[in-house]
Amino acid sequence: MWSEPRRATGGHAAEGPAVREYDVVVLGGGPAGENAAAYAIAGSDRTAIIVEPELVGGECSYWACIPSKALLHPAAVRGAASALPGTAELVGDRPLDAEAVLARRDTFIGRDGGSPLPDDSGQVRWARGAGIDVVRGSGRLTGERTVAVSPADGADGSAATLTARQAVVLATGSAATLPSIPGLAEARPWTSRDVTAMTAVPGSVAIIGGGVVACEAATWLSALGAEVTLIVRGRALLGGAEPFAGALVADALQQGGPGRRPVRILFGTQAYEVERDAVAAHAPGVAGGVPVTLRIEPSGHGGDGGSAGTVSVDELVVAAGRRPAVDGLGLDAVGLDPHRAPPTDAHMAVPGVPGLYAVGDVTGRAPLTHMGKYQARVCGDVTAARAEGRPTEAPRFQAGPGHSAVPQVVFTDPQAAWTGLTVARARAAGIDAHSVAVDLGAVAGAALQRDGYTGRAQWVVDRVRGVLVGATFVGPEVAELLHAATIAVAAEVPLETLWHAVPVFPTVSEAWLRLLEAARETGVMPAP
């Protein structure tokens, strides 16, 4: 449905679709698209429109970040309660109340008991309140600053052409990929969308993948009572992190715990065929009741070993990566490869195509919601400055492709959080990189948080410059430690300066002091 913009112009030609003109046209209504539009027109009379074929708020709000964390947090709270005398006796070995956990998840994604889809009306109201028009449809580039819009199925309105005075912003996100395994597509596996939106917990689940989505899904499914098998091609989980992070997460998943089933992990293994009866054509996210069988074999990745045989489960989740959502965007109309992520410069502009920008997962640069929003803020500020004739050379107008401090948290139990470079990547970049590490369980604040606290913190230090270039924390609730590390890496704060940033006693953040002491003891930071 169209709403009247503040200053849209144009009308109906004698033939063909309506033509409407805006200052900014954004394709994709997820967090990145919302931020790009809002920042581009803030405090002005400029106009913007978001073209979104599904729900305003995007993948993160309804099928990724928000619902997954809603499913994970009850398990984390239960784990903490089970590790403390006085509360452990209250929770015992009882599993989570799956129905209550799923119902609470629904409140966060705007889905009531009678609706199969989330409700995005709140997000639409926000957009229109910010002066952003919204249309349900798919947008396709037809030339510079020109977009053809086809209404989404069931949406009001007709085809239209949008032209942009200032910018067209691509913010279409990414889509889950399915490996080319015979029988996989026909078996109707779940993707991340389905497993976060599930309406009932399957008795048994196989997950193909060993990355963030696979590890988080294994955590909440096992905590909700499912028997989970992870099928991992390589020899470790969380391949983008320091090796110890994936190892600690794997150990915790395999051990299970009070109210949480142990997860079976088949490293060095791949599925080469999938079979499921055709009657399993059930709705996504709804347990089908028809088992799926995977035939597995050693993958040959990461050394010897691997498993062979069959795995039969109630449901199959594919968490084998995502790709930029560029299909149907019409990139070839502006001279770009229609099958690849559009290239972007420090302003998030697409080189060689005037007025075209891209932000978020569609760029392939850092597929994380917070990074997409960051890129969108840069894009919006640049667009506004250029519209007003202001310079854009200041650092705040630039999001370099090699941004030094990309933070990421995996909300497993224990959590894994990291920013900047790993030791291996730092050395590959020619940095004189040295690591220092401490046992988080030996920090007073961590020991007070729960009995048997297990975790590790590690820094990667550029010894020549005396600054942090990376940091990794693994342990319960370590996500809250990460932002300080992100600031230190992004701002290149010298270790000598960090020595005077005193952590509060007794908190887990006292690990910063222990890491500085370790840096002195090993000579990474010279003693006074």
Side-chain angles (χ1 to χ4, degrees):
M1 178 182 295
W2 296 91
S3 66
E4 287 303 317
R6 290 175 294 173
R7 195 167 54 85
T9 61
H12 291 276
E15 295 181 2
V19 178
R20 293 173 178 255
E21 187 176 51
Y22 290 81
D23 290 291
V24 179
V25 176
V26 180
L27 305 188
E34 291 174 321
N35 275 265
Y39 274 72
I41 67 172
S44 74
D45 64 352
R46 289 186 294 276
T47 59
I49 185 170
I50 287 174
V51 182
E52 170 54 52
E54 294 186 293
L55 300 176
V56 177
E59 198 82 13
C60 175
S61 298
Y62 308 107
W63 301 290
C65 315
I66 299 301
S68 67
K69 304 316 168 278
L71 293 169
L72 285 160
H73 194 59
V77 171
R78 194 203 181 290
S82 297
L84 290 171
T87 58
E89 296 80 3
L90 298 177
V91 297
D93 289 329
R94 287 174 294 183
L96 293 171
D97 183 336
E99 184 177 351
V101 171
L102 296 179
R104 182 174 183 269
R105 181 272 323 269
D106 286 347
T107 66
F108 279 96
I109 63 174
R111 184 171 74 184
D112 61 38
S115 174
L117 290 175
D119 176 12
D120 70 344
S121 58
Q123 292 292 103
V124 173
R125 284 194 299 272
W126 169 85
R128 290 175 175 160
I132 303 166
D133 216 8
V134 175
V135 63
R136 307 280 188 185
S138 299
R140 176 176 53 83
L141 294 169
T142 56
E144 292 181 5
R145 297 190 179 93
T146 306
V147 173
V149 177
S150 301
D153 292 343
D156 295 335
S158 57
T161 296
L162 304 177
T163 61
R165 299 183 188 94
Q166 302 296 333
V168 173
V169 182
L170 307 179
T172 49
S174 60
T177 59
L178 287 184
S180 299
I181 301 173
L184 179 61
E186 293 77 8
R188 297 199 60 175
W190 287 2
T191 65
S192 57
R193 278 196 169 200
D194 306 306
V195 72
T196 57
M198 64 184 183
T199 58
V201 181
S204 58
V205 183
I207 302 175
I208 295 177
V212 176
V213 173
C215 291
E216 288 190 347
T219 299
W220 80 66
L221 285 166
S222 61
L224 290 171
E227 293 182 356
V228 179
T229 301
L230 274 175
I231 300 173
V232 185
R233 285 173 60 86
R235 302 301 304 177
L237 301 180
L238 304 176
E242 294 284 8
F244 76 85
L248 288 174
V249 169
D251 287 346
L253 287 172
Q254 290 171 320
Q255 289 173 12
R260 191 177 72 197
R261 289 177 177 269
V263 173
R264 180 188 181 200
I265 305 179
L266 305 179
F267 286 113
T269 300
Q270 63 186 8
Y272 66 87
E273 188 176 30
V274 178
E275 183 178 338
R276 190 177 207 171
D277 192 287
V279 299
H282 54 279
V286 179
V290 178
V292 56
T293 298
L294 296 86
R295 294 179 177 84
I296 58 174
E297 64 183 1
S299 65
H301 289 265
D304 297 332
S307 299
T310 60
V311 175
S312 294
V313 290
D314 295 324
E315 289 298 340
L316 170 62
V317 177
V318 176
R322 302 181 66 84
R323 57 180 177 80
V326 296
D327 293 347
L329 275 184
L331 294 178
D332 51 338
V334 292
L336 299 174
D337 188 331
H339 306 297
R340 297 174 66 88
T344 51
D345 63 16
H347 293 138
M348 304 311 299
V350 178
V353 187
L356 184 63
Y357 297 77
V359 296
D361 285 15
V362 73
T363 67
R365 283 171 55 162
L368 299 159
T369 296
H370 44 276
M371 294 306 295
K373 292 168 69 174
Y374 159 70
Q375 294 166 1
R377 293 191 294 271
V378 170
C379 171
D381 282 344
V382 167
T383 301
R386 287 175 173 168
E388 297 165 9
R390 294 185 282 115
T392 58
E393 287 78 25
R396 72 183 182 89
F397 291 109
Q398 300 181 28
H403 187 66
S404 61
V406 176
Q408 180 158 0
V409 178
V410 186
F411 290 86
T412 45
D413 188 6
Q415 294 176 351
W418 63 89
T419 189
L421 300 173
T422 62
V423 174
R425 289 197 180 111
R427 290 174 177 167
I431 295 172
D432 183 13
H434 294 256
S435 65
V436 293
V438 298
D439 175 7
L440 281 179
V443 176
L448 288 167
Q449 188 179 107
R450 64 169 69 183
D451 290 354
Y453 189 108
T454 300
R456 173 175 166 147
Q458 177 178 294
W459 282 353
V460 183
V461 179
D462 180 342
R463 192 167 182 176
V464 173
R465 293 185 297 148
V467 298
L468 287 186
V469 294
T472 299
F473 305 92
V474 180
E477 304 302 328
V478 295
E480 301 303 332
L481 295 176
L482 190 62
H483 191 55
T486 303
I487 293 171
V489 173
E492 298 184 329
V493 180
L495 297 189
E496 294 286 358
T497 301
L498 289 176
W499 183 259
H500 300 287
V502 181
V504 173
F505 178 85
T507 63
V508 184
S509 61
E510 200 176 16
W512 282 77
L513 173 57
R514 301 292 169 247
L515 285 161
L516 284 163
E517 291 172 339
R520 280 190 170 187
E521 291 170 2
T522 58
V524 174
M525 181 176 74

